[in-house]
Amino acid sequence: MVIEIKVPSPGESITEVQLASWIVGNGDYVEKDSDIAEIDSDKATLAISAPRSGIITLLVGQGETIKVGSVIATINTEAARREEAAIGATSATLPDQPLVKPSAEPVQEGAPATTAPEPPIADDLPVIISPLAQKLMSEHKIDKKELTGHFLRISKADVLEYISEKPKPAATPENRLLPRDAERKKLSTLRLKLAQRLVAVKQETAMLTTFNEVDMSRIIGLKNMFGDSFKAKHGVGMGFVSFFAKASAEAMRHYPQVNAMIDGDEMITHSYVDIGIAVSAPKGLVVPVVRNAESLSIAQIEQRIKELAAKARDNKITLEEMTGGTFTITNGGVFGSLLSTPILNPPQSAILGMHNIVDRPFAVNGKVEIRPMMYIALSYDHRVIDGRESVGFLVKVKEMIEDPAKLLFGGNDPIKELLGL
């Protein structure tokens, strides 16, 4: 029985996708529910799994743009397993392990000790090359014939061993020259859509950025004092982003315009705060959303961020988990950024940029002290948010980070709250 594998719909309004990569090869034996391919839409990367076990035939090339619902492969469920599946060496189901090289014939007693070259494997015998090995061979420009004289199955470890043992060319003026190769590669659907959105933001919004700096001493002190007990109780480490997410949600109680957006000739102001956290994934930047951040604790925000970030890095994030945000936080500090101007994530009206923490001289009560300082930036759409609101919001976030007790009182002074002032 031959089963067709069709491109599933990644979501509403998406009619085309790009076949990002084949995880299996043409003619491979695939197991039911194992991943066989990855597709890129304009919002996410999704995996396609095999509906049944059998021999797969690929009908679409890698990198091609195809319609949703198109047939990309077929599976013959009645075909017998090939030899590599019978011996448990199918590349789609087993880890990449090296094979033992064929041993030489034993030397008879009294015979002269001579080393005969290993006879090459006949061309008509099947030689199995794992996907990881194929990738390495392509990167290092290793021909299949260079290895098939030694192995019945070529694995990643075999290629690495061959590379390490391969004699290096002698240094000459010619091969000292740096390579001048250039690679031309089609943009993925996700990257193409991201490029279009970023350009549109600059053209369609009145974007401005305001900056401030934050003394991180108190937050770092909390991490040093309670980090171990926090992780033991909640199962996650204490990060900086969760504090800024909580501070942003509380600051929006004072400046709700930061949580608003334009829809045509109307302005929508939300009573909830859904914060998108920008995450660098293998296919590009994605922004999973932490829902109702205003009602979550620091630990709950941290747990949700960890869960979403892991999904994004593994390309398991869903469209529902990336839509509907009302505000975004991006942390360039993890890459060493000292200061930047983040770009809005439409249709949102504001984005908060965090940066690297650097020890700098800082004036404290008339004296110069060395403090761990972070620059923060708020980019905003001036059509929705005025300068007073943008600056006030950023100052409120700064106050809560420098005095975390204010996070418990909506950004207000705890003493004044206690006294009802």
Side-chain angles (χ1 to χ4, degrees), residues 81 87 113 126 131 170 174 207 221 237 279 283 344-345 356 364 384 392 412:
R81 290 180 177 234
I87 63 174
E174 290 77 12
M207 195 180 83
V279 177
K283 298 293 183 179
L344 293 176
N345 182 22
N356 198 15
V364 181
V384 180
N412 297 319

Side-chain angles (χ1 to χ4, degrees), residues 54-99:
I55 300 295
I56 190 168
T57 301
L58 311 183
L59 304 179
V60 176
Q62 187 168 298
E64 290 188 27
T65 299
I66 45 182
K67 298 285 186 182
V68 170
S70 301
V71 178
I72 59 172
T74 60
I75 293 180
N76 187 348
T77 60
E78 298 176 356
R81 290 180 177 234
R82 298 198 310 179
E83 183 179 356
E84 65 268 28
I87 63 174
T90 176
S91 60
T93 57
L94 285 189
D96 204 17
Q97 297 178 345
L99 283 188

Side-chain angles (χ1 to χ4, degrees), residues 13-14 17 25 62 90 99 107 112 117 125 127 188 265 303 326 337 350 372 385 405:
S13 75
I14 298 177
V17 297
Q62 187 168 298
T90 176
L99 283 188
V107 179
L125 290 179
V127 178
S188 69
D265 58 355
Q303 289 167 344
T326 62
S337 172
I385 305 167

Side-chain angles (χ1 to χ4, degrees), residues 43-44 190 277-281 283-288 312-313 317 322:
K43 295 181 179 179
L190 181 62
I277 307 296
V279 177
S280 180
K283 298 293 183 179
L285 186 71
V286 295
V287 188
R313 284 190 289 268
I317 198 79
M322 293 191 295

